[in-house]
Amino acid sequence: MYRLFCNNKTLECINFFEQCIDVETDESLYSSQVFENTLDKIKKWLEDGDENLVIDDVENKILSAVIKKIFRFAPAAGGVVVVDNSVVAIERNGIPDLPKGHIERGESPDAAALREVREETAISNLTIIRQLPSTFHCYLLDGQWTLKQTSWFMMKTDNGFKSKPQTEEGISKVFLLNKDNVNDFLEKTFISLKITLGEEILKIINS
């Protein structure tokens, strides 16, 4: 399933997966009525809708074409850093978050995730344990709908919790999530993180 977040609402494409985006688009699809109807439905949801939207009756190749038509893509990567039975979190512009950032040209998602975590938290000696589910959220930037896919990786560090916030990126603090504060974090962070990674975070903390 492909779940796209816009503010606090979601678009769920039941039979669609992120790999479908990589399939080359047949331009003849742009003239089909199903393409037009799906394009209008998703645009209306983005611009005017305040409820969740579910799509389960549109072919993957058409959904892929619609998504590519609407959005500019901004790939990012980040880390769920495990320190003992805690998880490293940040506060960015007043919102609790996990360390993440844009993937640079020619950079792989895992390399970008390691770099962004180091830059935003100053935590070093990071090692990737495994890849986690990606999050997808969209926002309007300069009149263009932008879709940010964030590739997430579980990481560990051999240096313990030695951190410093990257203040020039709006990060005011780096802190550890534990049993005392994790529920508050999940309530106040972005809904995409809560729904996609919340269970994984709780599993680490409660292990």
Side-chain angles (χ1 to χ4, degrees):
M1 181 174 67
Y2 189 85
R3 183 185 284 121
L4 173 62
F5 295 87
C6 182
N7 298 322
N8 287 321
K9 59 188 181 182
T10 61
L11 164 64
E12 293 185 350
C13 303
I14 302 298
N15 302 309
F16 191 79
F17 298 91
E18 59 186 272
Q19 294 86 354
C20 300
I21 294 289
D22 298 329
V23 176
E24 187 173 349
T25 302
D26 179 355
E27 294 191 3
S28 66
L29 296 173
Y30 294 143
S31 59
S32 72
Q33 191 61 53
V34 177
F35 173 87
E36 290 292 340
N37 291 345
T38 307
L39 184 74
D40 290 345
K41 182 183 292 187
I42 293 179
K43 279 188 171 181
K44 182 175 178 60
W45 173 78
L46 286 167
E47 296 166 4
D48 305 317
D50 56 6
E51 296 182 356
N52 297 339
L53 174 64
V54 176
I55 296 178
D56 60 2
D57 58 352
V58 177
E59 290 183 58
N60 284 345
K61 60 183 180 181
I62 293 177
L63 264 176
S64 175
V66 169
I67 291 169
K68 290 177 182 178
K69 186 75 172 179
I70 294 175
F71 295 106
R72 170 176 55 195
F73 293 88
V80 176
V81 183
V82 181
V83 179
D84 296 324
N85 294 109
S86 301
V87 171
V88 176
I90 63 173
E91 186 171 293
R92 189 199 315 267
N93 300 321
I95 301 174
D97 198 359
L98 296 176
K100 66 180 185 298
H102 292 290
I103 298 174
E104 296 179 354
R105 186 180 297 275
E107 191 176 32
S108 64
D110 55 341
L114 289 167
R115 175 183 55 77
E116 286 291 344
V117 171
R118 283 195 301 268
E119 290 176 355
E120 295 194 345
T121 68
I123 295 174
S124 59
N125 285 359
L126 292 161
T127 305
I128 288 177
I129 301 170
R130 61 185 173 89
Q131 187 164 4
L132 298 169
S134 299
T135 55
F136 302 85
H137 74 274
C138 59
Y139 50 91
L140 199 58
L141 180 64
D142 299 328
Q144 169 72 56
W145 283 104
T146 300
L147 195 162
K148 178 179 284 187
Q149 173 184 344
T150 304
S151 300
W152 292 99
F153 297 85
M154 185 184 292
M155 305 175 184
K156 64 178 181 179
T157 174
D158 296 329
N159 272 9
F161 184 62
K162 300 174 184 178
S163 66
K164 180 182 178 182
Q166 189 182 22
T167 54
E168 59 269 29
E169 289 294 322
I171 300 171
S172 56
K173 64 179 179 179
V174 182
F175 60 101
L176 289 176
L177 295 178
N178 53 43
K179 291 180 180 179
D180 294 329
N181 63 6
V182 65
N183 290 329
D184 186 60
F185 171 85
L186 292 174
E187 284 302 313
K188 294 179 179 177
T189 192
F190 299 100
I191 189 172
S192 56
L193 282 183
K194 177 181 179 179
I195 291 178
T196 307
L197 298 177
E199 186 176 332
E200 194 68 54
I201 292 170
L202 288 171
K203 189 184 304 181
I204 294 166
I205 291 173
N206 293 319
S207 63

